[in-house]
Amino acid sequence: MKRQNEGQIRIIEAFLAVLIIFSAFAVSANLAATQTMAKNDDLTSVGLQALLKLDSDGSLGKHIDGGNWSALRDSLSLVLPVGVAFNLTVYDEQMQRVNNAVVSNGAFGSQDVAFVEYVCASSGSVFRCYEVHLCLAVAK
Amino acid sequence: MPAISIDTFFACSLMVLLVLSAMAGASKLLYPHITNTIGENMGERYRETSKYILLNDGTPSNWGQNNQTIPEIFGLAKKNSNNPYELDIDKVSRLNSENVYAFSYAQMFTALKFSDVSLRIKMETFFDVAINLTAVFEASNETTYQFEILSRKYGVSVQTELRCYVIAESYFESYYVFASNGRSNLNITIPNDVDGPALLAVLARSTDDTQIVSFESYSLAHNSTEPQPGGAFLRLSPLNYSLTASFVYPETMLSNAYALTFDYSLTLTQTSISNDSATYDVANFLDFSPTLLIVTGWNSTNFFTEWTAYPQIPLETGADFADSMTLSDVYAYSYIVTINSVLYKCTIWLGGPRN
């Protein structure tokens, strides 16, 4: 009786091995690295450059001081590549949100969002410092 | 045959199948990640190379200003600039093939010092200006031309202010127009005793950021035949704040030369003339604007106006990757660069043999 069951036990072992190996494949496939990092690096670089260039003549600080959020949105739309969605938030020294209007060009359709943090000084006679948070994603 | 033998044979076959499928699955699963790692390294190498081109001023660092100098090491940055991605106006102008002192792709490739990397560089303004002639009203002593001027980025309107210049033989006029929704109408009136063709040159500046400027021109037949395309009579080459006008035909006679920015305009002084070219000094305007350089003259009985921009943008130079995408890995990088306080979009393509 025992000898007769040996073959059946080997089949059960084989099925268990199949189950273990394929579950290992399923888990490792989800853990595998993707290219998300590289894509985000490119977006971060583009976003940082855009803020840096807008700040190079003081216009970034001027728009924030004057609460000219539509001009800031239009400037960013002009210098950022077509198809890049952005959302900008400005905080003061106490990390209180400064912009009372949404500075964005549309909804984010992607889960790969790049984040840029930029510190900007006011060009006015009263010194103010702002922390600018810019979120970027490739529009889908 | 006993049942145990059938069961064992079946189990062994299953195990062999499992091992084979595991090997196939593992190689299939790992292959794209191995390829991605190579691709990421390649992408990183090209990204750093493209940054190097824009952040390094090359050797010698003033290679752009001297029309005879071929750089040992290629770099487009302005010498001693404190602003990252600020490019030299002359180094950029020498990339344009319309310039007689243009730097060839072979020279660029050699100076880059990477034998396995091909490159292509494109520079352009952030938005386009389109000029359309919509109507012509002829009177006895003058003619009025009605234009529609559009400022757009990929079809999206850009709010701009416009500075328009009209130039013909012994005639110069400027206009200021505000284009609130990226569209404006302009009427220009030219006396009928003025010889044409006339040139309408438009500089458009974004109202949101004065560093973002674009430009365009339109040649119109006024008391003349249809205007010839650009470069038919003169080849204009600005370099080191000097403009060289090379004659296409030897019997060319020059009338006036102008330098135009958004806020300023100036008649240029001729510094030398020979049988095949003339040179003019160009002022360095402290204005957030590219300089449009316009030269007028006569070729036998035909009046002409030729123009170029300084820096000589838009430009596209380098290797043509269009037909080699399947055999090469080509990466494109986009940057915002500054030339004389004006922002431009720079795209660099770098490619090499596919791994």
Side-chain angles (χ1 to χ4, degrees):
Chain A
M1 180 69 186
K2 242 183 176 182
R3 262 184 79 79
Q4 279 175 352
N5 287 344
E6 264 180 16
Q8 290 167 9
I9 286 164
R10 281 192 189 117
I11 290 173
I12 293 164
E13 281 173 351
F15 274 115
L16 275 173
V18 169
L19 198 71
I20 290 163
I21 288 177
F22 278 102
S23 60
F25 273 127
V27 171
S28 61
N30 288 326
L31 292 176
T34 61
Q35 280 188 304
T36 311
M37 283 292 284
K39 275 182 196 165
N40 280 353
D41 279 355
D42 288 341
L43 271 182
T44 307
S45 168
V46 167
L48 187 62
Q49 260 202 64
L51 291 175
L52 198 70
K53 288 294 176 188
L54 291 180
D55 196 26
S56 63
D57 70 334
S59 60
L60 181 63
K62 209 183 291 174
H63 287 323
I64 295 171
D65 276 343
N68 198 351
W69 308 118
S70 62
L72 189 53
R73 185 195 61 219
D74 292 346
S75 299
L76 278 170
S77 298
L78 263 178
V79 295
L80 287 172
V82 172
V84 171
F86 65 86
N87 192 348
L88 182 134
T89 315
V90 183
Y91 297 93
D92 61 13
E93 294 98 327
Q94 282 77 43
M95 289 307 287
Q96 301 293 312
R97 187 177 163 147
V98 175
N99 56 315
N100 47 15
V102 177
V103 183
S104 173
N105 65 343
F108 282 32
S110 168
Q111 290 184 336
D112 300 331
V113 177
F115 175 71
V116 180
E117 193 176 34
Y118 185 81
V119 177
C120 158
S122 159
S123 56
S125 53
V126 180
F127 178 77
R128 288 194 189 91
C129 203
Y130 302 107
E131 191 165 313
V132 179
H133 289 185
L134 178 64
C135 293
L136 298 154
V138 176
K140 284 183 179 173
Chain B
M1 189 184 248
I4 183 173
S5 301
I6 296 167
D7 287 349
T8 306
F9 175 75
F10 182 62
C12 287
S13 306
L14 197 64
M15 287 299 280
V16 168
L17 266 175
L18 173 69
V19 168
L20 286 176
S21 60
M23 284 165 69
S27 62
K28 200 173 176 182
L29 190 75
L30 291 176
Y31 177 75
H33 300 296
I34 294 164
T35 316
N36 273 352
T37 312
I38 295 165
E40 276 170 28
N41 290 340
M42 193 66 83
E44 191 60 30
R45 180 192 174 209
Y46 287 154
R47 185 186 295 118
E48 293 306 317
T49 308
S50 64
K51 280 185 187 172
Y52 179 81
I53 292 168
L54 300 178
L55 295 171
N56 168 47
D57 55 8
T59 306
S61 54
N62 64 342
W63 66 264
Q65 292 164 15
N66 187 341
N67 58 37
Q68 301 296 326
T69 307
I70 304 300
E72 237 176 89
I73 298 169
F74 184 55
L76 296 173
K78 188 179 178 181
K79 186 185 172 186
N80 300 330
S81 172
N82 295 322
N83 191 358
Y85 299 102
E86 181 171 17
L87 306 188
D88 186 283
I89 189 168
D90 294 314
K91 289 170 187 169
V92 170
S93 295
R94 284 190 69 188
L95 295 180
N96 195 318
S97 58
E98 288 173 17
N99 195 307
V100 288
Y101 309 116
F103 186 49
S104 73
Y105 176 62
Q107 290 165 331
M108 201 193 308
F109 181 80
T110 310
L112 188 63
K113 306 242 184 273
F114 290 118
S115 58
D116 60 338
V117 179
S118 299
L119 82 153
R120 185 167 190 81
I121 299 175
K122 184 180 181 184
M123 287 196 201
E124 59 192 328
T125 53
F126 274 104
F127 64 93
D128 299 318
V129 177
I131 305 170
N132 302 315
L133 179 64
T134 51
V136 179
F137 306 101
E138 287 183 30
S140 58
N141 57 348
E142 61 185 24
T143 305
T144 300
Y145 299 90
Q146 189 178 71
F147 288 95
E148 180 193 49
I149 302 171
L150 305 168
S151 311
R152 287 169 190 272
K153 182 190 177 183
Y154 293 101
V156 180
S157 300
V158 177
Q159 184 171 283
T160 54
E161 45 185 351
L162 309 173
R163 176 71 66 186
C164 308
Y165 296 96
V166 181
I167 291 155
E169 171 62 345
S170 306
Y171 183 83
F172 181 90
E173 197 63 60
S174 84
Y175 300 84
Y176 173 84
V177 187
F178 183 73
S180 62
N181 58 353
R183 179 192 295 265
S184 62
N185 291 306
L186 172 71
N187 289 340
I188 62 168
T189 304
I190 305 174
N192 285 344
D193 57 354
V194 169
D195 286 315
L199 183 82
L200 169 65
V202 177
L203 285 148
R205 186 151 77 183
S206 164
T207 54
D208 300 316
D209 195 316
T210 51
Q211 298 177 102
I212 304 171
V213 183
S214 187
F215 52 85
E216 188 52 278
S217 77
Y218 188 98
S219 284
L220 62 144
H222 173 80
N223 274 347
S224 66
T225 55
E226 277 303 306
Q228 296 286 315
F233 300 100
L234 291 178
R235 192 171 171 190
L236 300 178
S237 312
L239 202 73
N240 197 18
Y241 293 94
S242 174
L243 173 68
T244 305
S246 310
F247 306 152
V248 174
Y249 304 104
E251 65 271 22
T252 303
M253 282 177 60
L254 299 182
S255 299
N256 290 311
Y258 304 92
L260 313 171
T261 66
F262 195 89
D263 292 321
Y264 303 100
S265 63
L266 186 73
T267 304
L268 300 180
T269 311
Q270 197 176 76
T271 51
S272 70
I273 188 156
S274 66
N275 288 337
D276 56 359
S277 68
T279 55
Y280 297 87
D281 272 344
V282 178
N284 184 2
F285 295 100
L286 297 176
D287 193 7
F288 284 15
S289 166
T291 306
L292 299 186
L293 301 168
I294 295 165
V295 180
T296 64
W298 291 86
N299 177 47
S300 61
T301 56
N302 296 322
F303 177 74
F304 65 81
T305 53
E306 294 276 10
W307 74 283
T308 192
Y310 187 45
Q312 224 163 354
I313 284 174
L315 67 88
E316 192 163 1
T317 185
D320 184 4
F321 291 112
D323 298 327
S324 53
M325 290 295 187
T326 51
L327 297 171
S328 338
D329 281 322
V330 181
Y331 291 75
Y333 301 96
S334 188
Y335 295 94
I336 303 161
V337 296
T338 311
I339 306 170
N340 277 15
S341 308
V342 177
L343 301 183
Y344 298 93
K345 182 183 169 190
C346 174
T347 310
I348 298 181
W349 288 268
L350 291 162
R354 175 158 284 185
N355 285 288

